Amino acid sequence: MYGGYAEGNARIYQSLGDLTVIVRSDAPEGPAVTPVAVRVDEEAVFVGRGKQIEDLLTAFGEHRGAGAVVVSAGMGGVGKTALVTRAAARAVELGLVATAVVLNLNGYDADAAQRAKPRDVLGPLLRLLGLPDGQVPATVPEQLAAYRALLAGWERQGRRLLLVLDNAGDVDQVTALLPPAPHAAAVTTRDTLTLPGRTRHLDLDTLQTTDAVDLLTRLLQRAEPDDPRANDGAALVRLADQCGRLPLALEIAAAVLTDEPPMTVADFVDELEQAPQSLESLRRADRSVTAVLELSWNRLTERNPPAAELLSLLPINPGPDLSTAAAAALADTSEAQVKPRLRALRHAHLLQHSGGRWQMHDLVRQHTSTHLTDERRIPALQRLLEHYVRDADAADDKCVPSPAPRSRTPFPVVPRRWPGSTPNAPTSPAPSPWHLTPASLDREWDGSGLADFGCRRCAGETLAMPVTLGRSVSARWMSEGRL
């Protein structure tokens, strides 16, 4: 488990299934907390996240009289639970709080009945916090009153609770459980949640490359201290990239290598690179990246079907990002109508927005593409190509104005050789300096930033690559009956 252990004097105990309690080992066991002595693996590996740990500790320690709520959000498998649990253990160790309790709300379970609601957890939580079983009320309003009264008693004793509400799917799972000041709460979620009161938001991204390699190295060495593969830095960097630096994917990759000592890191990278879906190789026993991403997909289709439909179309676009206009073309709608769907995907941490463009994690892209049928893919691809031809024509006109009407032939001019291009023999239906096939489109149009406005780099050239690509691919595929 990535980072699920405490350091120093803090100890983590497991109790009541989805409840975890963290107390100081030198604190006497009394009516407030009676932990069950089942320890979480203290040899679990945790790397990086130093700034995020400090931010959480600062939030837990500041304004103690006013309380604190921190929401840590990020895509599935990014390590939110590991981060917040570790920070909670550290907060107990430093004396910022007397006790930390971690409660898994199962907010993204495919079975809605398994998603915890306040009525499901208040009784067990009260018992865990020390209320005798006979004094636990039967109704939710009475339980909430008892919960607040119990925590008021803690405040009079100078004790603070840190309640970690893990894996929250919506605000309804969380709001009633938030402890009153001066107590603190941390919420982990895959979504963007707006909670009442003083709330800090901490979005968690994938690991930096150095931390991702460090995690792989330490996981391999934990299984076999003398494993020579842990020293193959170049191959480990490639593996980290193939895993998208996602902690869950890195853990599974390391486990696969551990299971197969003869396999080199380079061999596994080759397997991932050559597989049509590398996600198929990123699974071990009952753990897989696909299963985690599928939970997010299912929840999105349940909450916002139009956004889910858009997400399935976005992988059609080659390259690492796309514009709002390109997304609108894929969805066959206007920019005004597509923007709320893009924001919904960003709020679900399935899409990022930077520099005016939208980016998708490579593993999310792979998984999402499996939910797209050819029946929807082919028309969306045609709309996208037409969009790029129109934009590239406009860019070309701006670079080299022409008084004559623009020719709509597929190959109006021969551009200069572009980095990464492969000149070859002419192709049907007209001479072309580019040898393009459906299989090579992604290689030719490989995310070099040309997808929307290659003419940003035209600098005196007559035409940018997207015009040739868009026209040659659309013309060729039309001639083959693919469009």
Side-chain angles (χ1 to χ4, degrees):
M1 178 180 176
Y2 171 61
Y5 72 96
E7 290 184 312
N9 292 325
R11 295 292 182 264
I12 302 178
Y13 299 90
Q14 200 77 20
S15 176
L16 299 175
D18 287 329
L19 285 169
T20 301
V21 62
I22 307 172
V23 299
R24 289 182 64 91
S25 58
D26 55 358
E29 294 184 5
V33 177
T34 306
V36 178
V38 178
R39 294 279 297 280
V40 171
D41 181 9
E42 292 199 4
E43 295 185 1
V45 177
F46 187 97
V47 300
R49 308 297 200 199
K51 182 180 184 305
Q52 289 84 358
I53 290 282
E54 290 302 318
D55 287 345
L56 285 168
L57 293 176
T58 299
F60 297 153
E62 282 184 346
H63 310 293
R64 297 193 189 189
V69 177
V70 183
V71 178
S72 177
M75 66 179 289
V78 81
K80 302 178 295 293
T81 300
L83 170 70
V84 174
T85 302
R86 185 179 181 89
R90 182 66 174 157
V92 173
E93 179 187 349
L94 294 174
L96 300 178
V97 296
T99 302
V101 172
V102 183
L103 174 59
N104 182 8
L105 298 178
N106 297 314
Y108 296 89
D109 198 289
D111 182 358
Q114 298 302 314
R115 302 169 193 167
K117 300 176 179 60
R119 66 170 181 266
D120 301 318
V121 301
L122 276 168
L125 180 59
L126 286 169
R127 295 182 183 94
L128 183 65
L129 294 178
L131 194 65
D133 188 68
Q135 298 180 23
V136 176
T139 67
V140 171
E142 291 174 324
Q143 289 174 348
L144 285 171
Y147 176 53
R148 296 189 179 97
L150 187 150
L151 292 181
W154 280 39
E155 179 185 3
R156 289 191 294 271
Q157 298 169 12
R159 304 173 62 198
R160 295 181 75 215
L161 170 70
L162 170 57
L163 182 62
V164 178
L165 299 170
D166 186 33
N167 205 15
D170 56 49
V171 295
D172 292 338
Q173 287 188 295
V174 171
T175 304
L177 299 174
L178 294 176
H183 307 287
V187 180
T188 73
T189 179
R190 302 184 189 189
D191 287 282
T192 301
L193 302 184
T194 302
L195 300 176
R198 182 191 296 271
T199 303
R200 290 194 180 190
H201 293 271
L202 177 65
D203 283 358
L204 200 60
D205 204 349
T206 54
L207 293 171
Q208 298 293 322
T209 298
T210 52
D211 290 332
V213 171
D214 187 26
L215 178 60
L216 287 168
T217 300
R218 292 172 61 180
L219 288 169
L220 290 172
Q221 290 176 334
R222 182 182 63 176
E224 175 51 62
D226 297 324
D227 191 334
R229 297 174 297 181
N231 298 318
D232 191 352
L236 290 174
V237 169
R238 292 176 59 207
L239 179 56
D241 287 341
Q242 283 296 310
C243 293
R245 304 187 308 281
L246 185 70
L248 174 63
L250 295 165
E251 288 179 16
I252 294 173
V256 171
L257 288 169
T258 298
D259 288 344
E260 302 182 37
M263 181 167 58
T264 67
V265 177
D267 288 341
F268 190 36
V269 172
D270 290 341
E271 175 185 329
L272 294 172
E273 290 178 343
Q274 295 168 16
Q277 284 279 332
S278 63
L279 286 172
E280 291 301 314
S281 295
L282 291 174
R283 63 172 66 245
R284 177 179 182 265
D286 61 344
R287 299 187 75 198
S288 75
V289 177
T290 297
V292 171
L293 296 179
E294 186 69 8
L295 292 177
S296 294
W297 168 261
N298 289 338
R299 195 63 190 274
L300 182 66
T301 58
E302 175 186 317
R303 288 177 169 177
N304 194 332
E309 181 179 2
L310 173 62
L311 183 66
S312 70
L313 294 170
L314 296 182
I316 294 173
N317 183 76
D321 56 24
L322 80 166
S323 67
T324 301
L330 285 168
D332 197 17
T333 188
S334 67
E335 290 189 46
Q337 289 176 309
V338 85
K339 284 179 180 178
R341 303 178 200 177
L342 290 167
R343 293 191 195 104
L345 296 175
R346 183 185 65 191
H347 292 158
H349 292 87
L350 295 169
L351 208 60
Q352 292 182 326
H353 190 240
S354 176
R357 299 180 67 81
W358 302 91
Q359 302 96 31
M360 184 186 302
H361 191 278
D362 286 344
L363 298 182
V364 174
R365 175 189 292 270
Q366 276 193 43
H367 174 261
T368 301
S369 66
T370 64
H371 290 282
L372 180 63
T373 63
D374 283 344
E375 183 181 4
R376 294 171 53 235
R377 179 180 181 275
I378 299 303
L381 175 60
Q382 183 171 0
R383 292 193 299 270
L384 181 69
L385 291 172
E386 291 171 350
H387 158 74
Y388 283 140
V389 168
R390 288 193 301 269
D391 276 5
D393 278 347
D396 188 43
D397 285 340
K398 187 172 183 179
C399 289
V400 184
S402 173
R406 175 169 300 284
S407 169
R408 299 305 301 176
T409 57
F411 315 108
V413 71
V414 176
R416 76 176 183 182
R417 182 184 177 103
W418 208 271
S421 62
T422 305
N424 209 316
T427 59
S428 176
S432 171
W434 311 101
H435 177 62
L436 292 174
T437 66
S440 67
L441 175 59
D442 285 345
R443 292 197 301 273
E444 295 291 353
W445 208 353
D446 62 356
S448 56
L450 304 173
D452 274 341
F453 275 107
C455 252
R456 282 182 259 180
R457 297 175 58 186
C458 68
E461 296 176 311
T462 306
L463 193 62
M465 191 173 183
V467 172
T468 300
L469 284 171
R471 290 179 179 167
S472 62
V473 173
S474 59
R476 182 177 178 84
W477 289 7
M478 285 178 185
S479 71
E480 296 172 353
R482 294 176 57 86
L483 295 180

